[in-house]
Amino acid sequence: MFDVFDDLFPITDWSVEGRKQYLEQHRPCIELVLYEALEVFDERKVSLTFGSQANAVVRIIDMFLSDGFENEKLPNGIPRDIKLFSQIDYWCKLKSGVVFARLQQLGHDEVDIVDNQTDRGTFVTDLDQLSKCLGIYSQLVAANMVYFWFQANKKLLDELGQVEPPIESKFEGCIDKSTTRYKVDSSFRYLCVYLDIESKIPGFRLYKSKYLTKGENKPQYTAKKNERESHNTTSEVRSVVTKIIDYFCRVHSDEPSSLCLALFKSVGNTTLLDQYKIKSKDYPNIDELKDKLIALKSQTKKEAESAVR
């Protein structure tokens, strides 16, 4: 596809000023290379990393011009000419590396930035998983719940600088006073998909058939049932919810990736128990469940242990 650019427009001056001059001289060709490369690259990964194809072009050029761009760190095999801009996978990883550093600061004003290539590689994999699971999730729940997930994770997505949320006007029944509990609930349901917990939680099929089966796009955003749910089934589903909370807390205590920790934060709210009508009269250990949910907001194992008394 890029044979027309073979041995053309080599980048000889890698200083900031040199790169600016290179852009001024070759911008139309650079943008053409970018758009053609983006057309054949993984659309989901581009969307997750940059938000859109047009945004990717702007951000890649910005990264090329940034003070922090170091040509000495270009991997072997990456062209040092205009075909550098055809290497979309490289630019995605470069962008993800910057995001990785920012993400570590989501829960803290001050934190040591870990310059660890293994962790960065894990983060790129996590981003792919985030995108893949969001696509799966959108097929399992009503449209409003997807919108609530975007709202619940707005700080994370802003930090990532990617993934444009759906247009709010397309979503029905978004009642302000119930927004918080549905944001927490949607985050909870999404994590079930992201962590792939179906085989790990006894009775999960009961929860899935009600809360991860698309129904009408209105509260309670559950599967449409032809028959009224029995009291026993309702009780069993709530019991499954408590098991999921326990499982989330165990995963959280194992110090998962930075991205996973950020996703846990949007679930760490005791309104989740109200949403599923889990009350003290039926669950004597409800205070323990509340502590576990609050602990999910913690960024470190030490903080989580102090939250779970």
Side-chain angles (χ1 to χ4, degrees):
M1 178 181 294
F2 304 105
D3 289 346
V4 67
F5 296 114
D6 280 352
D7 300 321
L8 293 177
F9 313 134
I11 305 170
T12 56
D13 184 353
W14 291 90
S15 68
V16 174
E17 285 303 316
R19 281 178 274 137
K20 286 181 179 178
Q21 290 178 12
Y22 185 86
L23 177 65
E24 290 174 2
Q25 293 171 7
H26 307 299
R27 188 174 195 116
C29 292
I30 290 172
E31 291 184 351
L32 176 61
V33 170
L34 281 168
Y35 276 114
E36 289 191 349
L38 287 163
E39 282 293 332
V40 297
F41 194 73
D42 186 339
E43 182 179 355
R44 180 178 290 170
K45 189 169 184 179
V46 170
S47 177
L48 179 61
T49 308
F50 296 106
S52 67
Q53 188 180 91
N55 200 34
V57 172
V58 173
R59 287 180 178 270
I60 289 172
I61 289 175
D62 285 346
M63 285 191 288
F64 175 69
L65 296 177
S66 70
D67 293 341
F69 185 82
E70 300 176 84
N71 71 299
E72 297 89 353
K73 293 186 177 181
L74 285 173
N76 292 333
I78 297 292
R80 266 67 172 175
D81 54 31
I82 197 168
K83 290 189 291 184
L84 168 64
F85 298 96
S86 71
Q87 309 299 303
I88 305 303
D89 190 57
Y90 162 74
W91 291 109
C92 285
K93 289 177 180 177
L94 183 64
K95 172 68 160 54
S96 297
V98 174
V99 170
F100 174 80
R102 291 177 182 170
L103 185 60
Q104 290 182 312
Q105 300 186 62
L106 277 177
H108 304 278
D109 292 329
E110 297 181 2
V111 66
D112 292 331
I113 300 302
V114 177
D115 188 12
N116 184 303
Q117 292 302 317
T118 300
D119 286 347
R120 289 172 186 265
T122 299
F123 180 66
V124 172
T125 301
D126 285 348
L127 282 177
D128 288 340
Q129 180 74 356
L130 178 75
S131 176
K132 176 184 176 182
C133 290
L134 190 55
I136 295 171
Y137 182 64
S138 66
Q139 299 301 311
L140 299 176
V141 297
N144 279 7
M145 292 303 285
V146 178
Y147 174 75
F148 286 131
W149 183 87
F150 275 97
Q151 293 301 301
N153 293 279
K154 186 177 185 303
K155 184 175 181 179
L156 168 63
L157 298 178
D158 285 347
E159 201 64 36
L160 296 177
Q162 56 204 16
V163 188
E164 292 297 324
I167 299 173
E168 185 171 2
S169 61
K170 291 184 179 180
F171 293 79
E172 305 168 356
C174 296
I175 305 170
D176 288 343
K177 64 182 180 180
S178 65
T179 295
T180 297
R181 62 191 177 101
Y182 284 122
K183 287 195 297 186
V184 176
D185 185 14
S186 185
S187 298
F188 184 78
R189 297 190 204 186
Y190 173 81
L191 265 178
C192 291
V193 177
Y194 183 81
L195 295 176
D196 191 19
I197 69 171
E198 184 165 3
S199 64
K200 304 175 181 70
I201 306 295
F204 184 78
R205 61 178 180 78
L206 291 172
Y207 179 85
K208 182 179 180 180
S209 66
K210 183 174 182 178
Y211 293 103
L212 289 172
T213 300
K214 186 173 289 189
E216 293 184 283
N217 193 30
K218 62 182 183 180
Q220 302 286 326
Y221 306 110
T222 55
K224 188 174 182 179
K225 300 289 186 181
N226 295 324
E227 299 179 1
R228 184 179 178 85
E229 186 176 79
S230 70
H231 176 75
N232 285 341
T233 300
T234 300
S235 179
E236 288 175 2
V237 171
R238 289 173 184 162
S239 177
V240 172
V241 171
T242 66
K243 293 174 184 176
I244 296 172
I245 294 172
D246 287 339
Y247 180 77
F248 283 177
C249 198
R250 291 199 302 273
V251 173
H252 183 273
S253 67
D254 287 338
E255 299 184 356
S257 66
S258 297
L259 183 57
C260 191
L261 284 173
L263 292 171
F264 271 127
K265 287 189 71 175
S266 60
V267 177
N269 193 312
T270 57
T271 59
L272 185 75
L273 300 178
D274 296 329
Q275 175 69 355
Y276 288 100
K277 295 182 172 56
I278 297 174
K279 303 183 183 300
S280 57
K281 63 184 181 66
D282 301 312
Y283 296 89
N285 66 333
I286 193 167
D287 287 337
E288 182 182 343
L289 288 173
K290 289 179 179 179
D291 288 342
K292 288 180 177 179
L293 285 170
I294 293 171
L296 295 179
K297 286 183 174 291
S298 305
Q299 290 293 297
T300 66
K301 186 175 182 179
K302 183 177 180 180
E303 290 176 5
E305 287 174 346
S306 66
V308 181
R309 296 183 293 275

